[in-house]
Amino acid sequence: MQTALFLLVATVAGIALGWWGARTIHATIATNCRNELAGLRRNYEDATRDNAALRTQLRQMDSALRKISTVSTETDYGEFLENRKALENVRRQYEALLEKLHQQEQTIQQFRGQLQQRKVELASLKQTLPTPMTLDVLSTTTALTPETKDDLTCIQGINSSLAGKLQALGIMTYRQVAEFTRDDFTQTQRILGLESPPPFEEWVQNARLLFQQKYTQA
């Protein structure tokens, strides 16, 4: 009997640790992907602005070229040579700007491809989110179930008033708090009108510990 109980506790602990580890790895990968996606968006916007500025300069250069190219027949030879030199300088600048514009357009295309790739990777990460931890083994050997109403005030940082508000939202168990994500905490803060954000890591760690202590004891 003791051996079976030990194996049961070890199995539950292994499931809990495996689920927590998978959830943590997934959250880290998703956060890195979002940060990289935000950086690519900023680079894309910067490249787009540079592209627009280059196009403006090209229009100005083109206008200058047309103006310099229309030399009056009454212009003397010396002024003609000066205009010709100015025209060559403008042409060189125009060609350099045109080349830079082409490079910027290629960079923008690369950013677009990278943005699309990161969006696909982020969508794939959301689809591969690990399923919540289940305690089917415990439910067959004990009368307690994971959905039993728990005392949320045992979680560090939650007083009786806050526990009542959470219960009014349907959050009544250690398991629910242990499975919270940062988005869940942000939404809870907004709904409850909390002045400061809840301590995400402390709530999750305390809730997970209390959950394991309550439902692994026999």
Side-chain angles (χ1 to χ4, degrees):
M1 182 64 183
Q2 292 179 350
T3 302
L5 181 60
F6 174 77
L7 291 175
L8 177 62
V9 172
T11 301
V12 172
I15 293 173
L17 290 175
W19 173 85
W20 176 78
R23 191 70 178 259
T24 301
I25 293 172
H26 176 273
T28 301
I29 295 174
T31 300
N32 293 337
C33 191
R34 292 192 186 96
N35 292 337
E36 187 175 356
L37 186 61
L40 287 173
R41 285 199 181 106
R42 288 193 296 269
N43 292 337
Y44 174 77
E45 292 171 357
D46 292 340
T48 302
R49 284 193 294 269
D50 292 341
N51 185 275
L54 284 173
R55 290 182 181 276
T56 301
Q57 292 181 5
L58 285 173
R59 287 194 296 268
Q60 294 174 351
M61 290 294 180
D62 188 58
S63 176
L65 282 171
R66 288 194 299 268
K67 183 177 180 181
I68 294 174
S69 298
T70 56
V71 181
S72 174
T73 56
E74 298 179 357
T75 304
D76 59 18
Y77 184 71
E79 187 175 352
F80 170 76
L81 292 178
E82 292 179 358
N83 288 334
R84 184 174 179 178
K85 291 180 182 178
L87 178 61
E88 291 299 326
N89 291 332
V90 171
R91 282 178 177 170
R92 284 193 294 268
Q93 293 177 11
Y94 179 85
E95 291 173 355
L97 287 174
L98 188 60
E99 178 64 23
K100 189 174 182 180
L101 175 62
H102 291 161
Q103 293 176 357
Q104 288 288 347
E105 288 178 345
Q106 292 176 357
T107 301
I108 290 174
Q109 290 297 330
Q110 292 175 357
F111 284 149
R112 284 176 180 169
Q114 292 176 4
L115 280 172
Q116 185 63 29
Q117 183 179 0
R118 293 299 178 271
K119 288 179 181 179
V120 172
E121 291 177 358
L122 187 58
S124 176
L125 283 173
K126 290 180 179 179
Q127 293 177 357
T128 58
L129 180 67
T131 56
M133 177 178 57
T134 59
L135 295 179
D136 295 336
V137 177
L138 283 177
S139 63
T140 60
T141 57
T142 63
L144 295 175
T145 64
E147 300 305 327
T148 301
K149 182 177 179 181
D150 297 321
D151 184 5
L152 299 183
T153 58
C154 293
I155 299 175
Q156 185 176 358
I158 300 181
N159 54 30
S160 57
S161 175
L162 183 55
K165 294 179 180 180
L166 291 173
Q167 291 174 356
L169 295 177
I171 303 170
M172 301 182 180
T173 66
Y174 298 145
R175 177 178 178 175
Q176 289 173 294
V177 178
E179 293 178 348
F180 261 26
T181 64
R182 289 191 179 275
D183 292 338
D184 295 333
F185 272 83
T186 300
Q187 185 176 7
T188 300
Q189 177 189 5
R190 179 177 57 81
I191 294 175
L192 298 181
L194 302 178
E195 295 181 357
S196 58
F200 174 76
E201 291 81 4
E202 293 182 7
W203 279 23
V204 170
Q205 292 176 2
N206 274 262
R208 186 177 292 113
L209 180 62
L210 291 169
F211 179 86
Q212 292 175 353
Q213 290 176 348
K214 181 173 182 179
Y215 294 108
T216 57
Q217 292 176 352

